[in-house]
Amino acid sequence: MSGNRLTRYQQLAEDMADAIRAGLLRPGERLPSVRVTCEQRRVSPSTVFQAYGHLESLGLIEARPRSGYFVRATRRPLRAGPEPAPPRSEATPVAISELVFDLLGSTRDADVVPLGSAFPAPHLFPFDELARSGARAMRRLKASQITGALTAGDEGLRLALRKRYALQGVPLADNELIITNGAMEALNLCLQAVTKPGDVVVVESPTFYAALQALERLHLKAVEVATDPKEGVDLAALGELLARQTVAACWFMPSFQNPLGALMPVARRQALVALLAQHGVPLIEDDVYGELHAGARRPPPAKAFDQQGGVLHCSSFSKCLAPGYRVGWAAAGRYAPQVERLKMMTSLATAIPPQLAVADYLAQGGYDRHLRRLREALATQQTHALKLVERHFPAGTRVTRPEGGYFLWLELPPEVDALALHQRARACAISTAPGVLFSADHRFTHHLRLNVGHPGDARFDGAIKTLGRLAGDLMVGR
């Protein structure tokens, strides 16, 4: 779960999960009733319901109407399944952009079911409230605010962000926060601030294809380090890499990593920051999914453990509040002056209206309420999607079970070429993101990332069923 002490419901869920994995509770077996569990463990009914709900979200148990809870009968591993082959240890020049443009162009078509998209469903976001906030903020706009927002961003928004981080236990220095045109500008500026052409940058394996595109644009080389769906970056492998090779920076996503959905445990985040500080290597932390946790509390970013200003933390509102507004930021530590200078030399500033709209929305006090609804919708949809994958995909398919976000990473049987599956799916008006997008050397040929963040889309169930059938067809050569 995490490095912190477990709550009662978490401990109960962990004990029952261990019993299921050990075979003490068998598939199809009925779990003790809530009343019996309350008496046996001396806990409240709400604790038991929370524990059972958590086990259900992990796909370990299922509720049957008027019958109780039962251990799920499943042909898949109960824990995250995919185990990618170790990545190459040599630095690799990156050439991924043409493949990205070709494969993901279909996600712009509204008639295509967006299983390959990087965004959740638009109806999950409070666009009406944001529009009212924008109109209200623009009526109050003073001329001095326009020039005052150059280049670091609107002072009110930066103050609101610093306050939010402080309440989460992550104090930011006065001048290290820079508002950007989405997280991608923040990440690109941070990468440019700490590298020069020809440098080596360590990325996760698999990694987000936009990170590879950024490296390609800046003529940087990638070294991939193995990343586990449950534990995140392999710290032992990273330590060996840093000891033998000169590395300019690391670009990692500790929270709900794209595409794996991996959530690095708190203790390992702290160890990661310490390891990189020891070697003097800056960490570019991509934290755009941090707010989309399914647990009770947001996991602290790696930035929370930064004592030397070596973590360049980047995030945005694009995945959790306002897609399309392009409001992101970088808390760039000791590299903030370089990042701000690069911002001035490239885009100069971020547009004022969306900044003011978001700042006003935050001031109204409804953001956390919106996040709770969003997290609940995504968690429920993930559970539903896992059941569909289990029902419709060929035997031997393995799938991650993330604790947040909205991506599933599938390892298909070796006979299934994910690129061929993508092409067949596109002919059926379904987009996918095949695994070759997520590695500099185009590995993960039978892997697939699915975006399941589309609750309420009537096409979703049929698209998963069709995708599973197409994968089965490829296994038998039809």
Side-chain angles (χ1 to χ4, degrees), residues 8 29 47 100 151 166-167 181 187 190 216 233 259 287 321 328 360 362 386 415 449 473 478:
R8 287 189 174 185
E29 184 175 343
T47 297
V100 173
T151 292
L167 292 174
N181 294 297
L187 291 159
C190 289
E216 179 180 351
V233 171
D287 193 41
L321 176 63
D360 184 89
L362 296 178
L386 285 166
E415 304 92 328
R449 188 199 72 184
D473 290 348
R478 286 188 284 172

Side-chain angles (χ1 to χ4, degrees), residues 72-129:
R72 292 191 67 195
T74 174
R75 64 174 180 260
R76 309 205 193 290
L78 296 176
R79 297 183 75 87
E83 297 177 358
R88 293 171 53 186
S89 58
E90 300 87 7
T92 306
V94 181
I96 194 86
S97 289
E98 285 301 320
L99 188 60
V100 173
F101 291 146
D102 177 60
L103 294 180
L104 299 186
S106 60
T107 62
R108 304 187 189 99
D109 188 343
D111 294 327
V112 172
V113 186
L115 302 185
S117 166
F119 290 91
H123 71 80
L124 296 172
F125 300 100
F127 287 116
D128 289 343
E129 291 89 339

